[in-house]
Each structure stands twice: as structure tokens, then as C-alpha cells.
Amino acid sequence: MAQAEPDDYVIQFEPDNVMSLAWKPGVRIEAGNARAAVEAVNDFAAGSRYPLLVKMANAGHLSRAARDVFVEPCAASRIALLGSNPVDRMLADYQIATHEPPCPTRFFVSEDEAMMWLKNPGDDDRKGETVQ
């Protein structure tokens, strides 16, 4: 299994069986810690699939190699990318526009809206849409 700095991210379950991966603010997301995060999500899911909330607020950098890792299928049944500023939106929009997401994926600035979308499968499962 790939290794990452222990402070790069935290994975946990939110209410209603939604997995959450929170990147540390300012972290540089490179291929190594991206791979470790994907493997950690898969391990945490223990063979099941869950909606995944990715808290990417204020991530410092997302490398091309990391973007390539994030297009591989994983234990996520759908992914809500949660950001808080124009840089987060730009990173998410670029990823979605240049790489086909492995499952329905949307960007949100509201955690409540992201969780609502994650907990209601079938509600507009189009891939790659961003939401204000």
C-alpha cells in the first residue's frame, strides 16, 4: 500500500454512511499521497461502495500525476468535492473537464448541499457538474 504523510488527510464516516476524506489545508496533492488516499478509502470501505465527501478546501496544489490517480474507480459510489474559494473551484472544474470522473462527481461550496446530493442517489447523477 502507498504511504502518505500522516497529516495529509483524515478519513471517517459521516452520518448516513457517507465517507469523508478531508485534505489538510495547504497540502500538496501529488501522486504518492493521492494513491495513498484512494487506497485508504478502499480499505476503509472494506469491499463496499459509499458516497464520498472530499473536503478539499484550501489544498495547496494538485499535480497532474495526482489527477491521473483520481480518475481510477474506487469505493466511492458518487463524489462531492467540497471547496471554499475560487482556487478550489478552479482545481475541481479543471479535473472534471479534463478527466472523466469514475462515478457521478460534483463540486459544492455548501457542505449541506453536498451531503444532500450524496445521500440522495439518483438525483441528477450526471458526471462532472459543478454547483455553486
Side-chain angles (χ1 to χ4, degrees):
M1 179 186 328
Q3 296 296 313
E5 293 299 314
D7 293 329
D8 283 352
Y9 57 83
V10 174
I11 298 175
Q12 64 186 19
F13 272 104
E14 300 288 337
D16 298 318
N17 285 324
V18 172
M19 282 194 338
S20 170
L21 183 143
W23 288 99
K24 180 180 178 182
V27 71
R28 293 184 57 84
I29 305 172
E30 303 285 352
N33 58 354
R35 171 76 53 212
V38 168
E39 290 179 3
V41 163
N42 290 338
D43 290 346
F44 204 68
S48 295
R49 296 188 77 207
Y50 296 96
L52 176 63
L53 177 66
V54 178
K55 298 176 182 179
M56 56 178 280
N58 303 309
H61 173 77
L62 178 65
S63 74
R64 177 184 171 108
R67 292 192 306 268
D68 290 342
V69 170
F70 292 141
V71 299
E72 299 170 12
C74 68
S77 58
R78 57 197 335 208
I79 300 170
L81 302 170
L82 180 63
S84 65
N85 62 47
V87 173
D88 295 339
R89 177 174 295 281
M90 186 267 317
L91 288 172
D93 285 347
Y94 182 78
Q95 175 69 13
I96 290 168
T98 60
H99 295 80
E100 179 71 20
C103 60
T105 302
R106 294 174 99 181
F107 177 84
F108 295 86
V109 293
S110 163
E111 186 167 349
D112 289 341
E113 289 178 16
M115 291 295 284
M116 185 181 312
W117 181 76
L118 287 170
K119 292 189 275 187
N120 292 295
D123 285 359
D124 195 11
D125 277 346
R126 291 175 288 168
K127 293 182 182 178
E129 184 170 323
T130 61
V131 176
Q132 295 259 7

